[in-house]
């Protein structure tokens, strides 16, 4: 199959997925991303994602995971005009992580409306990283070090599996996997959220959280506290989860095309100062060689 045909088929799947959730895909936003990373697409895990919060409700996000560790995905984005360089620390953090830590592979996120948005650094599941070491990086937000006591209290501090860098929102995500099982008990969920200063979880959130496999937090440079906490569930059947399914999520599950990944989903519930919202990641292209590592690809 030629590279052009491969890109055209992927673009068609992206366009069909966007249409399924009522979003108009912009070729001017999507095609430059596909061409910039075209050499990695065949080997990537590809997924599509929507969420119910107002800030993302009008977009379909796409993720390419398993970009090789010798490729700097942010440098590629800059070189291809997908994003603009700034003087903010978020621009420097991925490079610092890459130089100081054993990154196994990378990922990127882009929206069919919003264009290029994020990059990701993945660590091997047998070589998770410690927050206490990460906070030594010059560009790491102070909120990470301010939250180190909380991470340690719940057994999360040395369980970092993924770092996400959101260039548009100037924030990062720290993903924790392989964490103590009691973190997903309702008393622990309530306690974690209380200690972060976030609202008490709904009953739906507590029931959902009991099935979770990963926790991740969102941190920024403008506040010393954790902005959001998300609990994620791996599932082949999102419709069976103990949640009230939003129509946009149901449409992605039922109406968007299924590719080589079959029925693979990660469902997340995020708690914010303003309440809760839901998100889902639907895998389209899969690579069985990375099954264990992508147990941390938590949406």
């Amino acid at each position: 199959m030629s590279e052009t045909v491969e890109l055209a088929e992927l673009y068609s799947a992206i366009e069909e997925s966007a249409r399924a959730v009522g979003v108009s895909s912009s070729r001017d936003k999507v095609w430059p991303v596909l061409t910039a990373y075209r050499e990695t697409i065949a080997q990537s895990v590809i997924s599509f994602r929507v969420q119910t919060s107002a800030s993302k409700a009008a977009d379909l996000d796409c993720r390419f995971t398993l970009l090789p560790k010798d490729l700097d995905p942010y440098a590629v984005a800059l070189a291809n005009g997908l994003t603009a360089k700034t003087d903010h620390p978020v621009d420097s953090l991925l490079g610092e992580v890459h130089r100081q830590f054993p990154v196994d592979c990378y990922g990127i996120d882009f929206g069919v409306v919003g264009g290029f948005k994020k990059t990701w650094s993945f660590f091997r599941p047998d070589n998770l990283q410690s927050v206490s070491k990460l906070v030594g990086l010059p560009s790491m937000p102070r909120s990470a070090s301010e939250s180190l006591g909380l991470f340690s209290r719940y057994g999360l501090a040395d369980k970092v599996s993924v770092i996400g860098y959101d260039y548009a929102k100037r924030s990062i995500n720290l993903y924790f996997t392989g964490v103590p099982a009691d973190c997903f008990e309702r008393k622990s969920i309530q306690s974690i959220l209380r200690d972060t200063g976030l609202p008490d979880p709904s009953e739906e959130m507590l029931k959902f959280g009991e099935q979770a496999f990963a926790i991740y937090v969102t941190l920024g440079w403008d506040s010393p506290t954790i902005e959001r906490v998300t609990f994620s569930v791996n599932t082949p059947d999102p419709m069976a989860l103990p949640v009230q399914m939003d129509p946009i999520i149901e449409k992605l599950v039922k109406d968007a095309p299924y590719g080589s990944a079959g029925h693979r989903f990660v469902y997340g519930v995020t708690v914010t100062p303003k309440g809760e919202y839901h998100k889902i990641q639907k895998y389209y292209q899969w690579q069985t060689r990375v099954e264990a590592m992508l147990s941390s690809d938590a949406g």
Side-chain angles (χ1 to χ4, degrees), residues 235-243 245 249-250 253-254 267 280:
T235 178
D237 183 13
M239 309 305 292
L241 293 173
V243 294
M245 189 74 67
I249 290 179
E250 186 171 352
V253 172
K254 292 183 176 180
Y267 196 106
I280 193 166

Side-chain angles (χ1 to χ4, degrees), residues 209-228:
E210 290 175 341
Q211 300 185 27
F213 77 102
I215 303 171
Y216 69 92
V217 300
T218 302
L219 303 166
W221 282 263
D222 296 333
S223 169
T225 61
I226 292 171
E227 296 179 1
R228 300 187 294 275

Side-chain angles (χ1 to χ4, degrees), residues 105-208:
C105 64
Y106 293 104
I108 63 162
D109 278 14
F110 62 96
V112 302
V113 175
F116 181 84
K117 296 179 179 179
K118 300 179 183 179
T119 60
W120 305 87
S121 299
F122 288 82
F123 305 113
R124 291 182 57 85
D126 59 356
N127 195 14
L128 301 178
Q129 298 302 307
S130 170
V131 180
S132 63
K133 294 180 179 179
L134 290 166
V135 297
L137 297 173
S139 298
M140 185 64 67
R142 182 169 64 92
S143 50
S145 58
E146 293 286 342
S147 303
L148 184 54
L150 183 148
F151 299 145
S152 299
R153 188 155 59 250
Y154 294 100
L156 307 177
D158 60 350
K159 302 293 185 181
V160 179
S161 57
V162 186
I163 303 175
Y165 317 83
D166 190 323
Y167 300 99
K169 292 189 172 182
R170 296 184 172 182
S171 63
I172 65 166
N173 293 330
L174 295 181
Y175 287 74
F176 304 96
T177 54
V179 303
D182 60 9
C183 283
F184 305 116
E185 296 175 359
R186 60 173 48 218
K187 287 184 178 179
S188 293
I189 295 172
Q190 291 169 325
S191 181
I192 290 170
L193 295 175
R194 187 179 306 115
D195 286 355
T196 59
L198 291 168
D200 290 338
S202 65
E203 182 63 24
E204 181 181 66
M205 167 74 229
L206 292 171
K207 290 180 179 178
F208 173 86

Side-chain angles (χ1 to χ4, degrees), residues 29 33 37 45-51 56 59-65 67 73-74 77 82-83 106-112 114-120 122 162-168 173 175 216 279-281 297-299:
K29 295 290 186 180
V33 181
Y37 297 94
V45 170
I46 298 172
S47 55
F48 306 135
R49 177 178 172 275
V50 292
Q51 67 182 47
K56 291 283 188 69
D59 209 349
L60 172 83
D61 287 333
C62 310
R63 179 173 300 174
F64 297 165
T65 308
L67 307 188
Y74 185 55
L82 304 179
T83 190
Y106 293 104
I108 63 162
D109 278 14
F110 62 96
V112 302
F116 181 84
K117 296 179 179 179
K118 300 179 183 179
T119 60
W120 305 87
F122 288 82
V162 186
I163 303 175
Y165 317 83
D166 190 323
Y167 300 99
N173 293 330
Y175 287 74
Y216 69 92
K279 60 186 76 175
I280 193 166
Q281 186 167 313
D297 190 13

